[in-house]
Amino acid sequence: MKVLQVNNVYNKGSTGKITYDIHSELLKYGYDSVVCYGRGEKTKEKNVHKTCGEFYSKCNNLLSRFTGLMYGGCYFSTKKLISIIKKEKPDVVHLQCLNGYFVNVYRLITWLKKNNVKTVLTLHAEFMYTANCGHALDCDRWQTGCGHCPRLRRETKTLFFDGTAKSWLKMKKAFNGFDDNLVVVSVSPWLMDRAKKSPILQNKKHEVVLNGVNTDVFHCYDTSELRKQMGLDGKKIIFHATPAFNNDVNSIKGGYYVIKLAEKMLDENVVFVVAGNYPNGLKVPSNVLLLGNVSDQILLAKYYSMADVTLLTSKKETFSMVTAESLCCGTPVVGFKAGAPEQIAIPEYSSFVEYGDVDALKSEVDKIIGTVYLSEQMSIEASEKYSKKTMMQKYVYIYEGLNGKG
């Protein structure tokens, strides 16, 4: 069996690493595997193809500002991707994250449908069924056709036109009739429930496969030396990992609430350790330690292991790799209810409160850091649930099912 994956990036970012893990595991178990990706540096790996130039992608990004359509354009890079699919003749095409201005989503879906290509579509965000925004938040216009978007500039970056209704119709047309050869995979039950409500994907076959964690990296570490190096001996440590940390109350990742909680705990023996990019000049309380971006995955796992609790303050998450990684490292999680995290977390080692309720968040943090957990046991349970091996087994079952072998 040959599987061809398509993703916006390869071996970087959350979806790029998942794409890499699936590719590596398929090869390990004797399957043929091919990857096509659009953005980032060109790799020399065998059977891994970059299909879009960076300048071309930026041109299509700029064009979308005028048309109001984020998932169109990209004529030449889409043509190149389709030519690779034709040449490779995979048994299954696995579509991962298709944003990033490297492919015409409408054209690709239509071509796969018309050519009866067996396809797995993994939803990592919401844009494949909203046809526009990656996180719909409290808006439900995606259930009725969009248009008059209340967050138009923030979500689409358009300069002139509201193309959300047109994009919605184009996405719906692309998926219409794409039934027998398509399986839609969501990375959480919450996301699947949302996808089933969408007129674009509601009549398709749906499955849930949790994202896989590299448990060779994310597991319990002895961090006594790291604590000493950082001057944190005797401190309770609250860890927060995020792509971007700031004090914007409207930021979906909720750094504002980390700062507010830190202010409430200034007089306590607690240090907030934050991993993630942050703007120059950002002012934070004295008990907040900003690490900046942590690209070393082993070091990141050690920060998780060192902490007494990991803090999740996102407004919405379709999965929450932070939750899975933290639990695999033997550290409990406290956060806001954000859709998926409270569903995919292990209840015995996690607690979630209503979004924005800092007092309730503090109460649960106090409770967690005052409780003794068996980190090794937590890590074992989490590794069984979130490992990339578990993810791979479920995907192979879906691949083989599409080919009449399941």
Side-chain angles (χ1 to χ4, degrees):
M1 181 173 64
K2 179 187 285 189
V3 177
L4 186 149
Q5 291 186 86
V6 183
N7 193 51
N8 59 348
V9 293
Y10 177 69
N11 202 16
K12 62 180 286 188
S14 58
T15 61
K17 288 170 186 169
I18 288 165
T19 301
Y20 170 81
D21 284 342
I22 292 174
H23 177 58
S24 301
E25 292 293 302
L26 283 169
L27 293 174
K28 185 190 298 183
Y29 288 103
Y31 295 101
D32 291 328
S33 179
V34 180
V35 173
C36 292
Y37 71 102
R39 304 302 305 276
E41 296 181 4
K42 189 173 183 178
T43 180
K44 295 181 180 179
E45 285 186 44
K46 184 180 178 181
N47 293 329
V48 180
H49 308 278
K50 189 174 191 298
T51 60
C52 184
E54 293 302 296
F55 179 73
Y56 186 66
S57 175
K58 289 175 182 177
C59 289
N60 281 278
N61 185 346
L62 181 62
L63 180 64
S64 75
R65 308 292 177 96
F66 292 91
T67 64
L69 299 176
M70 292 186 289
Y71 308 116
C74 302
Y75 175 82
F76 293 106
S77 54
T78 304
K79 183 179 180 181
K80 181 177 181 179
L81 171 59
I82 289 173
S83 71
I84 293 172
I85 297 173
K86 287 179 179 178
K87 179 183 176 182
E88 294 290 346
K89 296 182 175 60
D91 297 290
V92 176
V93 168
H94 186 168
L95 305 177
Q96 300 279 3
C97 210
L98 302 183
N99 61 354
Y101 305 98
F102 79 99
V103 63
N104 186 314
V105 175
Y106 321 119
R107 184 178 167 207
L108 176 62
I109 296 297
T110 301
W111 185 87
L112 292 169
K113 175 180 68 177
K114 287 184 176 180
N115 287 274
N116 299 311
V117 178
K118 299 184 188 306
T119 303
V120 175
L121 169 65
T122 293
L123 303 178
H124 294 281
E126 298 193 85
F127 63 87
M128 291 300 289
Y129 62 78
T130 66
N132 294 289
C133 56
H135 291 281
L137 302 180
D138 298 323
C139 178
D140 60 3
R141 290 175 183 267
W142 52 275
Q143 297 183 43
T144 55
C146 286
H148 305 289
C149 180
R151 294 184 294 124
L152 181 66
R153 298 288 186 272
R154 178 182 286 265
E155 291 296 332
T156 70
K157 307 296 190 298
T158 181
L159 297 173
F160 302 107
F161 306 110
D162 184 342
T164 56
K166 184 177 180 179
S167 180
W168 192 93
L169 288 171
K170 287 173 73 68
M171 193 74 85
K172 189 173 189 302
K173 181 181 179 182
F175 277 105
N176 277 349
F178 199 177
D179 299 317
D180 293 341
N181 290 322
L182 175 69
V183 176
V184 179
V185 173
S186 296
V187 295
S188 67
W190 176 84
L191 189 59
M192 183 179 73
D193 289 344
R194 302 266 288 181
K196 284 182 174 181
K197 292 177 182 176
S198 165
I200 294 172
L201 295 179
Q202 63 184 3
N203 295 319
K204 313 305 178 188
K205 182 179 179 181
H206 290 263
E207 300 283 352
V208 172
V209 178
L210 301 184
N211 285 335
V213 174
N214 184 351
T215 51
D216 292 335
V217 172
F218 291 95
H219 55 78
C220 289
Y221 289 84
D222 180 351
T223 59
S224 53
E225 282 301 314
L226 183 60
R227 276 180 171 265
K228 288 179 182 177
Q229 291 172 14
M230 298 180 69
L232 298 176
D233 265 351
K235 299 283 188 180
K236 291 292 185 180
I237 299 172
I238 299 173
F239 185 58
H240 179 70
T242 179
F245 184 74
N246 57 58
N247 58 1
D248 180 2
V249 68
N250 294 313
S251 172
I252 195 171
K253 292 299 182 182
Y256 169 85
Y257 294 104
V258 177
I259 293 172
K260 288 299 174 185
L261 181 61
E263 290 174 349
K264 284 180 173 289
M265 304 181 78
L266 263 174
D267 297 329
E268 302 178 28
N269 191 35
V270 169
V271 175
F272 288 72
V273 177
V274 177
N277 292 314
Y278 61 91
N280 290 331
L282 178 66
K283 294 182 179 179
V284 295
S286 58
N287 58 347
V288 176
L289 175 60
L290 300 177
L291 301 174
N293 181 52
V294 179
S295 57
D296 184 327
Q297 296 294 283
I298 292 177
L299 181 58
L300 180 62
K302 288 181 178 180
Y303 286 132
Y304 279 121
S305 296
M306 179 179 69
D308 295 279
V309 63
T310 293
L311 187 64
L312 188 73
T313 53
S314 301
K315 187 170 186 178
K316 280 290 179 283
E317 292 280 357
T318 56
F319 177 67
S320 180
M321 194 61 83
V322 168
T323 296
E325 289 173 349
S326 180
L327 294 173
C328 284
C329 292
T331 300
V333 177
V334 172
F336 292 140
K337 294 177 181 177
E342 59 268 30
Q343 286 188 342
I344 64 103
I346 301 174
E348 293 86 348
Y349 310 121
S350 59
S351 181
F352 297 89
V353 303
E354 295 301 322
Y355 180 77
D357 191 338
V358 180
D359 288 333
L361 191 66
K362 182 181 184 305
S363 177
E364 291 306 306
V365 166
D366 288 339
K367 191 183 302 181
I368 291 284
I369 62 179
T371 303
V372 177
Y373 290 94
L374 297 175
S375 295
E376 291 289 347
Q377 179 61 35
M378 188 190 310
S379 179
I380 291 169
E381 291 182 38
S383 295
E384 290 174 355
K385 182 172 183 176
Y386 306 118
S387 73
K388 63 182 181 181
K389 181 180 179 181
T390 300
M391 174 186 71
M392 192 64 249
Q393 288 172 341
K394 291 181 179 179
Y395 274 126
V396 168
Y397 179 80
I398 292 170
Y399 299 154
E400 292 183 341
L402 273 169
N403 284 280
K405 300 176 183 177

